[in-house]
Amino acid sequence: MTLVSVVLFVTALTASAKAHEEYVVDDERDVTATEFLADALVDPAVVGPLIVGAAGVVAVVAGYLFVRPLQRDIGAFRSAMREYTDYVPWLLRISLGIPLIGAGFSGYFISPALEVDLRLLQVTLGFLLLFGLGTRIVALAGLVAYLVGVFRWPTLLLQLEFVGGFVAIALIGSGRPSADHVLQRVAGTTGTAYRRLDPIHERSRSFRERIGTTERYLPTVVRVGLGVTFIFLGATQKILQPGLALGVVDRYDLTAVVPASPELWVLGAGLAEVALGIALIVGLFTRATAAAAVAMFTLTLFALPDDPVLAHVALFGMASVLLITGGGPFALDNRLERFENPTTDTRIDEHL
């Protein structure tokens, strides 16, 4: 078995139940978290499959580390992904800019569950991110707007990934293609009229030089931001609000898709999301976990037609970034180097 099996296994657990539950159901079962857990955790039909599934994942991971199959394929994939590194800032800008514009024109504030019309703010921030104009300042302004909004409307926590996304953009900057890059090039050219009119070019260059060494932490920021979001959604939208998650199972008749009890669906999906979040935060098999997330979001778009697409764009983009960058600094992936086969021609310094 290869590590692809891990991706498929985790995806199967979470894909159809990964939607932001509050976006797709109005009715929920009348059951508290305490009642739900008390019943589910003594039911062999629930606990048994969860134990078997967890043991299966551990066995697959251990088998992968011992056998280490497809190393050349993995090395080639990783090398191909690194060719897209220059596009990471653009990918992040698109991933947050498009949802902001869509939210502005749709009449809600970041989260589809929050019907607050802040069109001018969101459309302005979104278009500036897409154009890449004043990118770091715009990202910080977006972060402040989100944090202020959370204090006023805690529902915004459903889109917690925006915190990590805004911080990542503020850290990495606009990249290219972007208006910032074009203006910097024009302002940096001797003799241009714009150079004489631009009051911030020199300060901006000095700032970029000072912050340049911190850009290496971008994967860490994205990992933590995405991981915390997974844990929050898995815990609050499923385990701590089982009535809401059970409503999703009933609405889409998920027990007919996979013959498992509704309790197993909810608890399995919640625990799987928490596990994925923890794996991302610690940087364990980062690319594989990100691939599982991308597959999960894609399946959700087809499986749950009522789930708003824009609610997943930022998540999709951040997971795609990790496919490109890998775990980065402070990831457990880096410690797995000691398992490397010294006879292989492909150096595995970041494990898929």
Side-chain angles (χ1 to χ4, degrees), residues 4-259:
V4 175
S5 302
V6 178
V7 176
L8 296 177
F9 183 84
V10 175
T11 302
L13 271 178
T14 59
S16 297
K18 174 59 188 74
H20 293 73
E21 281 74 4
E22 293 187 17
Y23 299 165
V24 296
V25 295
D26 296 320
D27 299 324
E28 59 182 274
R29 290 195 193 179
D30 185 15
V31 58
T32 66
T34 302
E35 294 170 342
F36 171 77
L37 292 174
D39 292 336
L41 294 179
V42 297
D43 186 350
V46 175
V47 177
L50 291 178
I51 294 175
V52 171
V57 171
V58 172
V60 170
V61 171
Y64 168 79
L65 291 175
F66 180 76
V67 178
R68 302 187 59 78
L70 304 176
Q71 290 307 289
R72 290 185 180 276
D73 301 77
I74 293 172
F77 174 82
R78 188 168 56 249
S79 178
M81 286 293 99
R82 285 173 179 160
E83 294 177 8
Y84 296 98
T85 300
D86 288 344
Y87 298 104
V88 165
W90 190 24
L91 178 56
L92 284 169
R93 285 167 29 220
I94 291 173
S95 300
L96 270 70
I98 290 176
L100 285 172
I101 294 172
F105 283 113
S106 298
Y108 62 83
F109 182 41
I110 297 180
S111 169
L114 182 60
E115 295 183 359
V116 175
D117 191 354
L118 293 172
R119 176 175 299 189
L120 181 60
L121 172 65
Q122 294 185 103
V123 171
T124 300
L125 291 175
F127 272 114
L128 288 175
L129 285 177
L130 289 183
F131 290 140
L133 182 61
T135 304
R136 284 190 167 99
I137 295 175
V138 171
L140 291 174
L143 178 62
V144 170
Y146 177 88
L147 294 177
V148 171
V150 165
F151 281 104
R152 177 65 178 83
W153 304 289
T155 303
L156 281 180
L157 289 172
L158 290 172
Q159 304 290 155
L160 189 57
E161 69 274 11
F162 272 76
V163 174
F166 281 131
V167 173
I169 293 174
L171 179 65
I172 197 67
S174 56
R176 42 179 203 172
S178 69
D180 287 340
H181 176 259
V182 173
L183 294 177
Q184 289 162 10
R185 180 63 62 85
V186 175
T189 301
T190 303
T192 61
Y194 180 76
R195 180 185 178 92
R196 295 191 295 271
L197 297 174
D198 188 344
I200 64 172
H201 170 66
E202 292 299 328
R203 294 187 180 89
S204 176
R205 184 178 65 178
S206 176
F207 175 78
R208 291 195 307 274
E209 291 174 353
R210 290 197 304 270
I211 201 173
T213 57
T214 64
E215 292 179 359
R216 63 188 292 264
Y217 299 112
L218 173 73
T220 306
V221 171
V222 176
R223 279 196 295 107
V224 173
L226 193 58
V228 169
T229 302
F230 267 108
I231 293 173
F232 177 81
L233 292 176
T236 64
Q237 294 287 286
K238 294 178 178 66
I239 298 174
L240 298 181
Q241 292 189 73
L244 193 63
L246 289 169
V248 175
V249 175
D250 293 339
R251 178 180 176 85
Y252 296 101
D253 195 18
L254 296 181
T255 55
V257 178
V258 175

Side-chain angles (χ1 to χ4, degrees), residues 297-337:
F297 301 146
T298 304
L299 262 172
T300 299
L301 297 181
F302 290 98
L304 305 180
D306 297 334
D307 199 29
V309 175
L310 288 177
H312 298 286
V313 172
L315 290 168
F316 195 103
M318 292 173 70
S320 299
V321 165
L322 292 178
L323 283 176
I324 297 172
T325 65
F330 310 117
L332 286 182
D333 288 340
N334 301 321
R335 295 185 176 272
L336 294 179
E337 289 182 7

